[in-house]
Amino acid sequence: MNERILHVLEYRKIQELLNQQAASSLGKQKTAALRPSTDIEEINGWHAETDEAASVLRLKGHIPLGGIFDIKPSIKRTVIGGTLNPMECLDIASTIYGGKQLKTFIDDMEEPELPILRELVSQITPLGELERRIKSCIDDHGHVMDGASDKLRTIRSKIRTNESTVRDKLESYTRSKSKMLSDAIVTIRNERYVLPVKQEYRGAIGGIVHDQSASGATLFIEPQAVVELNNQLSEARVQEKTEIDRILKELSEYIAQDQEPLGHNVEVLGKIDFMFARAKLGRSMRAAMPKMNNKGVIKMKQARHPLIEEDEVVANDIEIGEDFTSIVITGPNTGGKTVTLKMVGLCTLMAQSGLQIPALDGCELAVFEKVFADIGDEQSIEQSLSTFSSHMTNIVDILKKVDHQTLVLFDELGAGTDPQEGAALAMSILDEVVQRGARIIATTHYPELKAYGYNREGVINASVEFDVQTLKPTYRLLIGVPGRSNAFEISRRLGLDDDIIKSAQSHIGTDSKSVENMIASLEESRRGAEHDYEQAAKVLEEAEELKQEMEKQWGQLEARREELYKKAEQKAEKAVQKAREEAETIVSELRNMKNNASLKEHEWIEARKMFDEAQPKLSKKEQKQATNNKTKAQNLQAGDEVKLLTLNQNGSIIEKVNENEFMVQVGIMKIKAKKKDLQFVKRDQPLVEKPMATVKGSNYHVKTELDLRGERYEDAVQQVEKYVDDALLAGYPRVSIIHGKGTGALRNAVQEFAKRHPRIKDFRAGGMNEGGSGVTVLEF
């Protein structure tokens, strides 16, 4: 991309916004060097990076990138033998720490998948030993600490002792000779402690004069008594500086030894900062990641100009490259044509730079080898060129370079000259660029170009909407509808006499009237379509709300039903328990009566009546079932499901041992039980030996099992419904639905269906020999 197009489309302003999002100078350097790429693989790689960073910001809200500095110049100086100052050393330690914090932050994230970031942070070398060396010598303010070496600690202790001695000596002067001093204070000149002595008492104090005030009334004198002490103090400070230089030299040598991992850490941290700067910019714009293609296709829903405030900009839909390759936009001045032009161009440059664009999700943009724009007033006084000449010079240059991988943006094509000639020239230029296969968006005032889209294949008209009622543009872009002149309507609204307007209309040719009528018809059709769309959307929304309400009520009904079932079961359980307790009382009394020889017949009858009344009252259906169970219990056989009364557990008879004993399978246990301790539950009906059963009234067969594996959810539910109906017609007592284990979606669907079906008495998971949890057995 040439620099001129970056300037015309204001790409530099996007870079400035991006620069503000960078957390370190490393990231700012990369934002300043950013340029759109023409390699689709590289661009897709950039977008993948930006998307990962956006995912982290969406989940965590931030990224720890503080305390990272561009330490490359410092590293280079240590390599050539230079010595770093304390702050430079501290910046290196801070950068090492920042890298470790970032590495830990990314490594600790469980969701989502972050392959790019995890690969980058895996390249960060902790260098904890170097960080500890620096931090043990230099504090957070860049001051070399006493503990940096034993020698430095000794020297500084000596310095503090000497300073205390000198101050004590001079403060004795401030107390005893305060009248001779301008101020009763101890001060410093030329790094030596002195007293501010009045000029007239110079001889009385004596010593070395180091400075004087601007008026000459005050001399700063170092008394002879402290000269030697000051000399010792100066010597100690020289020793301190020498030791500090030695410590910094040693730290610099350690830094030089780790130059390679340090340099690589800086590169990685700079790249990560740059990734998150792009993601932060996208978040601030409420932008989306575009899908890139090399087919020249642009599709953007509700796209906004990136440099206009969101509460001021009007979002528009843009589509070009499939059904048509050129758009000709007409409409009034200040209607938003140029903004639309710049928005498409700038979003294209942003997308080719790995930046997200301000549009809805699902947007798609093309990778262009070249982007050209002829926008704005290009009049050049220096070159003595008119506006038309300047535009034409630019267009000539564009035509030399345009091809099928080019996006061309023309603003007011052919303007600045005779309207008839300008319109003819504009159509010829458009024909030439269209023929070369470029993607074109052009704006114009010429009415001749309104019909251009109808006479050229691959070209479509568009316009910016104008509200005649308010006499203001709405800035909405209307694809497929050419702009029409609103001069008569505007004039009428402003109060121009109708006779004048009618006279003006009589001067317009028949063709122009036809075009205007056609455009008016298109606008009316568009408004009708928009109204219908809004109505349909409203109905859809109401239907969705109704569906949600019905689902909510159904859920409440199901919950209520379950609650009633639960209460009924609890009530029945209490009744049975009460009956058992009463029966136990009756049995106990009967046992006591057994040995009573004087027991009368009517007493036995009364006891039996009490026992019968203690039994839970069953419905007719339950009484009938109980009677059947008692009858069938007289003739138990292998395969019968029974209840083992001694354990209160259900099981099945494996074999008959003798007339009074049976082997029963209860769970994983095999138990020999007496016939009196067994209660008959049910007996499996013998299945027809043929593998298929013929459904009455049908010419096809029904298996005793249905295999749903591999079926889609909706298809599986339909198949189960039909299969259950057929199985019921066939008279099967039970069937097996094979759904596999998988995610459990099909199993849940089958079991939910079984709960709702009125003819399905029970369902269970398959046994060990029936397919386990991959099969559901339905009982009819």
Side-chain angles (χ1 to χ4, degrees):
M1 301 296 171
N2 58 59
E3 292 297 317
R4 182 183 177 281
I5 194 66
L6 301 181
H7 170 72
V8 170
L9 296 177
E10 301 180 287
Y11 181 80
R12 299 298 183 198
K13 292 184 179 180
I14 295 295
Q15 281 186 289
E16 291 173 6
L17 295 176
L18 184 60
N19 185 271
Q20 295 171 12
Q21 301 294 343
S24 68
S25 58
L26 298 169
K28 294 182 186 297
Q29 291 172 12
K30 292 187 178 295
T31 62
L34 180 63
R35 293 291 183 278
S37 173
T38 57
D39 184 343
I40 190 169
E41 291 187 2
E42 182 179 40
I43 294 169
N44 284 332
W46 290 349
H47 279 297
E49 294 173 356
T50 308
D51 189 52
E52 273 198 19
S55 297
V56 173
L57 293 179
R58 186 171 60 253
L59 292 172
K60 296 295 186 179
H62 74 289
I63 182 77
L65 285 168
I68 297 173
F69 301 93
D70 181 11
I71 57 174
K72 289 181 289 186
S74 298
I75 297 172
K76 188 174 181 180
R77 280 177 50 210
T78 63
V79 172
I80 61 176
T83 300
L84 304 183
N85 62 44
M87 288 305 302
E88 289 173 324
C89 293
L90 196 61
D91 286 348
I92 290 174
S94 178
T95 302
I96 294 172
Y97 178 77
K100 290 195 302 183
Q101 289 292 99
L102 178 61
K103 181 181 177 69
T104 302
F105 181 85
I106 298 298
D107 287 342
D108 288 347
M109 286 193 67
E110 297 179 359
E111 294 290 342
E113 293 295 327
L114 304 171
I116 299 173
L117 281 169
R118 294 192 192 282
E119 169 60 24
L120 285 172
V121 298
S122 69
Q123 301 174 29
I124 296 177
T125 306
L127 298 175
E129 180 60 31
L130 178 58
E131 181 194 2
R132 283 190 293 273
R133 283 182 182 274
I134 296 173
K135 289 291 185 69
S136 65
C137 295
I138 303 170
D139 63 19
D140 293 339
H141 303 289
H143 181 260
V144 179
M145 297 183 291
D146 295 357
S149 73
D150 293 338
K151 185 175 181 180
L152 182 62
R153 182 183 291 105
T154 301
I155 293 171
R156 284 186 173 167
S157 176
K158 181 179 179 182
I159 289 173
R160 286 190 286 270
T161 300
N162 287 346
E163 284 179 340
S164 178
T165 304
V166 170
R167 281 185 169 277
D168 289 344
K169 190 71 174 176
L170 292 179
E171 284 173 357
S172 67
Y173 278 87
T174 62
R175 290 190 296 270
S176 62
K177 302 182 182 295
S178 59
K179 293 182 180 180
M180 301 179 183
L181 304 178
S182 299
D183 289 302
I185 60 171
V186 177
T187 185
I188 297 175
R189 288 294 186 274
N190 299 327
E191 297 185 354
R192 298 177 77 86
Y193 286 97
V194 296
L195 293 173
V197 181
K198 296 177 181 177
Q199 173 69 31
E200 58 269 26
Y201 294 108
R202 173 178 180 177
I205 296 295
I208 301 171
V209 178
H210 286 277
D211 197 3
Q212 67 179 14
S213 63
S215 62
T218 301
L219 301 176
F220 295 94
I221 298 175
E222 177 185 5
Q224 191 64 41
V226 298
V227 169
E228 183 57 32
L229 292 174
N230 267 332
N231 288 341
Q232 293 175 7
L233 186 57
S234 298
E235 182 180 352
R237 285 175 175 159
V238 170
Q239 293 174 355
E240 178 191 32
K241 184 178 182 307
T242 301
E243 181 61 14
I244 289 174
D245 290 343
R246 186 196 67 78
I247 292 169
L248 294 176
K249 179 67 175 176
E250 187 177 73
L251 287 177
S252 300
E253 290 173 354
Y254 282 123
I255 292 168
Q257 292 174 9
D258 289 328
Q259 57 165 314
E260 289 188 7
L262 275 173
H264 189 66
N265 284 2
V266 170
E267 289 297 325
V268 171
L269 293 172
K271 185 171 184 177
I272 294 176
D273 187 13
F274 185 37
M275 286 172 57
F276 278 91
R278 303 199 302 265
K280 290 174 185 176
L281 180 63
R283 181 174 63 177
S284 69
M285 292 182 175
R286 292 201 307 116
M289 182 183 77
K291 178 183 178 183
M292 306 303 297
N293 67 79
N294 53 12
K295 300 177 183 179
V297 176
I298 296 175
K299 292 181 181 179
M300 292 189 287
K301 294 289 185 182
Q302 297 298 291
R304 310 181 303 276
H305 194 291
L307 298 176
I308 301 178
E309 294 295 330
E310 189 174 347
D311 56 350
E312 298 177 4
V313 70
V314 175
N316 279 303
D317 297 345
I318 297 289
E319 184 173 339
I320 188 173
E322 287 187 339
D323 299 332
F324 46 86
T325 60
S326 304
I327 301 176
V328 178
I329 306 174
T330 53
N333 284 331
T334 70
K337 300 192 303 296
T338 304
V339 170
T340 301
L341 214 63
K342 286 187 172 183
M343 182 266 289
V344 175
L346 186 53
C347 284
T348 297
L349 296 182
M350 289 174 63
Q352 291 186 214
S353 302
L355 300 176
Q356 296 179 338
I357 62 170
L360 296 183
D361 287 337
C363 53
E364 185 172 358
L365 281 109
V367 177
F368 294 104
E369 291 287 339
K370 297 179 283 289
V371 177
F372 295 115
D374 181 58
I375 299 175
D377 188 357
E378 299 287 342
Q379 185 173 14
S380 174
I381 297 175
E382 292 82 359
Q383 297 180 13
S384 300
L385 295 175
S386 66
T387 300
F388 175 78
S389 299
S390 182
H391 277 292
M392 196 50 58
T393 300
N394 189 28
I395 291 171
V396 169
D397 185 57
I398 291 173
L399 291 176
K400 291 178 182 178
K401 303 172 183 176
V402 70
D403 58 23
H404 69 284
Q405 293 183 319
T406 305
L407 173 64
V408 184
L409 308 172
F410 289 127
D411 189 28
E412 300 299 344
L413 184 59
T417 187
D418 177 75
Q420 190 172 0
E421 293 181 355
L425 196 58
M427 287 188 282
S428 296
I429 292 171
L430 287 174
D431 283 340
E432 176 65 22
V433 181
V434 169
Q435 185 179 356
R436 297 192 190 183
R439 302 297 183 264
I440 310 161
I441 303 179
T443 68
T444 182
H445 273 117
Y446 293 133
E448 291 84 354
L449 267 71
K450 293 178 182 179
Y452 180 81
Y454 296 102
N455 301 326
R456 302 295 194 281
E457 184 178 354
V459 182
I460 193 168
N461 283 316
S463 61
V464 287
E465 191 177 49
F466 188 86
D467 191 339
V468 179
Q469 301 300 320
T470 62
L471 304 181
K472 292 181 179 179
T474 65
Y475 303 106
R476 291 184 60 202
L477 182 68
L478 309 175
I479 300 291
V481 180
R484 66 189 182 100
S485 173
N486 296 295
F488 294 150
E489 286 82 354
I490 294 173
S491 300
R492 184 176 287 110
R493 294 281 298 173
L494 294 175
L496 187 64
D497 192 272
D498 282 345
D499 292 336
I500 298 175
I501 293 174
K502 290 178 180 177
S503 176
Q505 289 175 332
S506 68
H507 296 305
I508 297 178
T510 304
D511 291 342
S512 295
K513 290 181 179 178
S514 298
V515 171
E516 291 298 320
N517 291 335
M518 177 189 68
I519 294 171
S521 176
L522 285 171
E523 289 185 348
E524 184 65 29
S525 299
R526 177 189 58 78
R527 283 193 289 268
E530 287 183 350
H531 178 267
D532 292 343
Y533 176 80
E534 290 174 359
Q535 289 295 108
K538 184 178 179 180
V539 171
L540 180 62
E541 183 179 356
E542 291 175 353
E544 186 66 28
E545 290 177 357
L546 181 60
K547 176 176 176 288
Q548 292 176 359
E549 180 63 25
M550 293 296 292
E551 288 178 347
K552 181 180 177 181
Q553 291 182 7
W554 176 258
Q556 292 173 348
L557 181 62
E558 288 289 311
R560 177 60 178 166
R561 187 181 70 171
E562 291 297 325
E563 183 181 353
L564 291 174
Y565 279 159
K566 188 174 182 180
K567 287 182 178 179
E569 290 173 356
Q570 291 174 348
K571 186 176 181 180
E573 185 178 353
K574 288 180 179 178
V576 171
Q577 182 63 31
K578 181 180 179 182
R580 286 176 180 168
E581 292 174 354
E582 292 179 358
E584 290 294 332
T585 301
I586 293 168
V587 170
S588 178
E589 291 180 359
L590 287 174
R591 285 174 179 170
N592 292 333
M593 293 178 184
K594 186 176 180 181
N595 298 323
N596 191 343
S598 61
L599 185 65
K600 301 294 188 288
E601 182 65 23
H602 71 275
E603 294 178 332
W604 281 101
I605 294 172
E606 183 68 24
R608 179 58 185 262
K609 183 179 178 182
M610 290 175 61
F611 186 83
D612 291 340
E613 290 176 351
Q615 301 300 314
K617 299 184 182 298
L618 301 176
S619 66
K620 292 182 179 179
K621 182 178 178 181
E622 290 172 329
Q623 291 174 5
K624 182 178 179 181
Q625 182 66 36
T627 302
N628 291 340
N629 287 349
K630 183 175 181 181
T631 302
K632 292 178 180 178
Q634 304 301 322
N635 189 24
L636 295 175
Q637 63 186 33
D640 288 351
E641 185 175 343
V642 295
K643 183 174 183 180
L644 186 56
L645 300 177
T646 55
L647 297 178
N648 196 26
Q649 295 288 329
N650 282 12
S652 59
I653 295 177
I654 300 174
E655 61 178 339
K656 183 176 181 180
V657 179
N658 53 51
E659 288 299 325
N660 293 317
E661 288 186 327
F662 294 86
M663 188 64 71
V664 181
Q665 179 81 42
V666 180
I668 62 172
M669 300 185 298
K670 292 182 180 180
I671 300 173
K672 184 182 289 186
K674 293 184 178 181
K675 186 176 182 178
K676 65 177 183 178
D677 296 328
L678 298 177
Q679 179 182 339
F680 177 84
V681 176
K682 66 179 179 179
R683 177 173 295 160
D684 292 341
Q685 296 296 325
L687 294 176
V688 180
E689 293 183 359
K690 294 188 294 182
M692 310 284 281
T694 303
V695 179
K696 297 177 182 178
S698 175
N699 59 357
Y700 62 92
H701 297 283
V702 181
K703 295 182 179 181
T704 58
E705 61 183 28
L706 174 64
D707 193 346
L708 297 177
R709 289 175 293 183
E711 295 290 336
R712 294 174 61 251
Y713 183 94
E714 294 81 4
D715 296 339
V717 172
Q718 292 179 2
Q719 289 187 39
V720 171
E721 290 179 359
K722 184 177 183 305
Y723 176 73
V724 168
D725 292 341
D726 294 343
L728 287 169
L729 289 174
Y732 289 158
R734 75 180 59 80
V735 292
S736 299
I737 308 297
I738 304 172
H739 43 65
K741 298 178 182 179
T743 61
L746 288 180
R747 179 177 63 248
N748 293 338
V750 171
Q751 294 180 359
E752 285 296 322
F753 172 82
K755 289 178 182 178
R756 298 194 303 270
H757 200 287
R759 297 292 301 277
I760 297 176
K761 295 181 181 178
D762 195 8
F763 65 91
R764 60 179 174 84
M768 294 295 293
N769 298 325
E770 294 176 315
S773 60
V775 174
T776 294
V777 179
L778 306 181
E779 303 279 351
F780 299 120

